Amino acid sequence: MFHLHPNPMRPITSKNVAVIGAGAAGLVAARELRREGHGVVVFERESQLGGTWVYTSAVESDPLGLEPCREVVNSSLYASLRTNLPREVMGFLDYPFVDTKKARRDPRRFPGHREVLEYLRDFAGEFRVTEMVRFSTEVRYVGLVGDGKWKVRSIKRGGGSGGGGGAAADVDEVYDAVVVCNGHYTEPRIAEIPGMDVWPREQIHSHNYRVPDGFKDKVVVVIGASASAEDISREIAKVAKEVHIASRSFQTGSSAKLLGYENVWRHPMVEALSADGGVNFPDGSVIYADAILHCTGYKYHFPFLETNGVVSVDDNRVGPLYKHIFPPALAPGLSFVGLPWKVVPFILCELQSKWIARVLSGRVCLPPEEEMMADVETLYSDMEKHGTLKRYTHRVGEHQFEYDDWLAAQCDFPPIEEWRKEMYFGTGLRKRGQPETYRDLWDDEHLISQANEDFMRYIPKVPITKL
C-alpha cells in the first residue's frame, strides 16, 4: 500500500477549483481547498447550504422517483429524523458538534435533522465558506477542455437577473480542477421485483416520505433493512393497521413478529407482486397491501459530468476511482468527495478533502496512473473473490477507520481518535440490541468525557454540556 507524504521541497501551486454542491462534503472541501491556498467557487443549485440536511415538506410528482423529467426535490429527510450517530462522533475533526446552548437549538446527543443543518451553518460561518458559494446556480455541464483544464457550464435558477425579466443564460467558465460533492441521496434506487408494473396500489420511495399520516389504517409493506427503513417502519406502525418489513438481509423462512409490536412483521424479500394487490413471499404467504414503501437506497448520479466514458456508473459502482476519489486517467483535475457509505460521513469527507487539496497544490504526489489503476483492479478482484456485489463497491463499513487513517497519513495528520472509533462501534451494538432506546439511553459516559477533553483544544472558552 502506498504511503504518500507531503514533499516540502516541491513548490506549492494555487489552482482555481470548482466545487459542485454546498452540502457537508462541499463545505468542508471548500474550506480545505482555501486553507491550501486555492481559489474556490462552490456551485449550489438550491438557495441555501446544507444539501440533504435541508428539510422540506415538498415531495416529487412521481412518488417512486423514476420519471427523468420530474422536478427533483433534493432532500430525502423525513420530519422526525434523528441522527443515528452521537454528535461527538459526527462533527468535523477541529469543529466539534456540541450543544451551543443557543435558543431553539436541539441539545440532545442524537439530535434531529434541523440541529445538523444549524451545525453546518455555524461551520460555514466560522470558516467564511458561505462567501465562496454561488447559490441558486445549477451546474449543467462539466467536461475536459484540454491542457488539463475543465469547462463548467452553469445557469442561475429562477429566471433572469438584474430586473430585466429575461431568461437566464448559461455561463461557461474554465477551472484547473473540479471536485464533485453533489451527494448521493437524491436519485432513488428501486429493487426490481417481478410484477411491479402491474401492482395496482400505491408505491413510494422513502425519498418522498415525510410523515406517517398517509398510511393511517393501511396495510403497508416496507422493503429494505437500512436505518431509515427501521425508523420509518416503527413510525408508520403507530398509525397503520399492519406493517410488513421485507429484506434480503432477513433469513429465509416464515415471517416473524417484531419484538414489542403487535402489528409489525419481518419477512424475507418479496418474491413477486400480482395484479390483484397481492405481495407474495418465498414461503408461499401472500399479503394484500394498500401501499409499498421502498427504502432501497439511492443511485450515484452525475447528469452534468462528461468524461467520454472514462468515468462511469455501473450498478452503483463509480469508477474507476483510486481510493474512491480520483479517476486515474483524469487525476488530479477531477475528484469526488463523499461517495463511501456506511461511514461517519463528515470526518471522512474532511480527510478526503485535505488529501485532494494537498494533491492539487503539489505538496502530496499521487502514484503514476498505472499504479493507481492496479490498485483499483485489485479492489475489484478482491470483491469478486469474496462474492461482494458490484453495487457495494463504495460500502466501506467496518473498514472506514482504516481508510480514514490512511487518508490522514497522506497529509501528515493524526489518526482518528480511539474514543471516536470505540463510540461508533458501541453505538452500533446498542442500536442492534436496543433499537427503540439507543438514542436516549447509553453507557459510554467515559468516552463522552474523553471526547469533551479533546474538544477543549478547539473551544476552550465555550462550556460543553455534560451529556
Side-chain angles (χ1 to χ4, degrees):
M1 181 176 290
F2 297 101
H3 291 278
L4 313 173
H5 296 286
N7 183 349
M9 302 303 294
R10 291 192 60 157
I12 294 177
T13 304
S14 176
K15 300 286 181 66
N16 291 318
V17 186
V19 174
I20 315 299
L27 295 174
V28 76
R31 184 190 72 165
E32 294 302 328
L33 288 162
R34 186 161 67 179
R35 276 181 166 178
E36 191 67 9
H38 302 296
V40 184
V41 173
V42 182
F43 293 86
E44 171 52 52
R45 74 188 300 272
E46 301 300 325
S47 60
Q48 61 178 304
L49 60 79
T52 195
W53 292 102
V54 177
Y55 175 79
T56 174
S57 59
V59 295
E60 296 176 358
S61 55
D62 173 16
L64 280 178
L66 299 178
E67 291 293 334
C69 296
R70 72 192 188 282
E71 179 64 25
V72 173
V73 174
N74 276 338
S75 179
S76 296
L77 296 176
Y78 42 97
S80 65
L81 183 141
R82 290 175 65 183
T83 65
N84 58 12
L85 293 174
R87 58 166 76 227
E88 299 93 350
V89 170
M90 282 191 68
F92 295 118
L93 294 169
D94 62 354
Y95 194 73
F97 187 11
V98 297
D99 174 16
T100 63
K101 292 193 170 295
K102 293 180 181 178
R104 295 184 297 279
R105 293 289 286 265
D106 184 347
R108 293 175 295 177
R109 191 178 179 208
F110 292 76
H113 55 78
R114 175 73 186 187
E115 178 70 5
V116 182
L117 178 61
E118 292 293 349
Y119 168 75
L120 292 175
R121 287 172 173 167
D122 291 343
F123 174 85
E126 177 73 21
F127 296 102
R128 296 174 39 238
V129 177
T130 311
E131 65 192 40
M132 294 184 270
V133 182
R134 293 183 189 171
F135 291 106
S136 301
T137 305
E138 180 175 2
V139 171
R140 294 156 64 98
Y141 172 85
V142 171
L144 201 59
V145 293
D147 298 325
K149 295 187 182 295
W150 293 82
K151 178 191 289 186
V152 175
R153 176 171 297 156
S154 64
I155 188 169
K156 190 76 173 176
R157 287 165 60 87
S161 59
D170 286 344
V171 175
D172 287 349
E173 297 171 300
V174 175
Y175 291 86
D176 299 311
V178 175
V179 183
V180 179
C181 306
N182 69 325
H184 49 88
Y185 295 106
T186 295
E187 192 72 12
R189 180 183 177 90
I190 303 293
E192 294 296 327
I193 304 172
M196 273 186 64
D197 55 339
V198 299
W199 200 75
R201 295 171 187 159
E202 179 184 11
Q203 295 190 66
I204 178 176
H205 190 276
S206 58
H207 174 64
N208 288 303
Y209 173 81
R210 298 294 181 266
V211 294
D213 305 33
F215 298 99
K216 183 174 175 58
D217 299 326
K218 292 182 177 180
V219 176
V220 184
V221 172
V222 177
I223 298 176
S226 63
S228 62
E230 294 287 339
D231 284 348
I232 291 171
S233 296
R234 289 178 168 85
E235 182 169 72
I236 288 176
K238 296 173 184 176
V239 301
K241 181 180 179 182
E242 297 176 8
V243 176
H244 299 268
I245 311 171
S247 170
R248 291 188 179 89
S249 64
F250 301 150
Q251 292 183 351
T252 57
S254 58
S255 345
K257 188 171 283 189
L258 185 64
L259 187 64
Y261 287 83
E262 290 301 315
N263 65 337
V264 183
W265 290 263
R266 291 188 187 276
H267 303 265
M269 186 56 181
V270 174
E271 189 171 66
L273 304 176
S274 54
D276 62 356
V279 179
N280 303 275
F281 293 96
D283 62 358
S285 62
V286 180
I287 292 166
Y288 291 90
D290 300 298
I292 296 176
L293 179 55
H294 297 259
C295 297
T296 44
Y298 296 85
K299 300 176 184 177
Y300 296 102
H301 190 53
F302 314 103
F304 50 83
L305 186 60
E306 176 53 65
T307 64
N308 295 319
V310 174
V311 179
S312 64
V313 183
D314 180 13
D315 193 19
N316 247 24
R317 169 185 284 174
V318 185
L321 294 182
Y322 178 61
K323 304 303 183 187
H324 306 282
I325 297 175
F326 290 108
L330 300 174
L334 180 66
S335 57
F336 296 78
V337 173
L339 296 188
W341 52 283
K342 287 279 186 183
V343 297
V344 181
F346 289 9
I347 58 174
L348 182 140
C349 292
E350 180 177 2
L351 290 167
Q352 288 183 324
S353 299
K354 288 180 185 295
W355 189 38
I356 292 168
R358 285 158 176 75
V359 167
L360 288 175
S361 71
R363 283 212 290 159
V364 174
C365 300
L366 289 174
E369 179 183 339
E370 297 77 13
E371 292 183 19
M372 289 192 283
M373 274 304 305
D375 186 272
V376 175
E377 288 163 1
T378 297
L379 170 65
Y380 294 171
S381 176
D382 287 346
M383 289 181 62
E384 187 173 353
K385 188 186 305 180
H386 291 95
T388 305
L389 297 175
K390 187 180 292 185
R391 64 175 176 268
Y392 297 133
T393 298
H394 305 294
R395 184 178 67 176
V396 181
E398 63 184 22
H399 303 295
Q400 65 177 294
F401 293 117
E402 179 184 346
Y403 176 71
D404 288 345
D405 288 345
W406 186 92
L407 289 168
Q410 310 316 301
C411 308
D412 275 354
F413 199 77
I416 301 299
E417 308 96 328
E418 289 303 316
W419 63 258
R420 200 182 297 256
K421 300 174 183 178
E422 189 176 344
M423 190 179 287
Y424 170 83
F425 289 115
T427 299
L429 288 174
R430 285 202 316 277
K431 181 185 172 188
R432 287 190 289 274
Q434 309 157 183
E436 304 282 356
T437 60
Y438 79 96
R439 290 182 174 97
D440 298 302
L441 298 174
W442 53 83
D443 56 2
D444 59 351
E445 284 80 3
H446 64 294
L447 297 177
I448 298 174
S449 296
Q450 291 177 38
N452 288 344
E453 288 177 13
D454 276 356
F455 293 165
M456 291 302 293
R457 290 179 295 166
Y458 302 109
I459 46 174
K461 297 180 182 179
V462 178
I464 298 180
T465 302
K466 179 174 174 55
L467 297 168

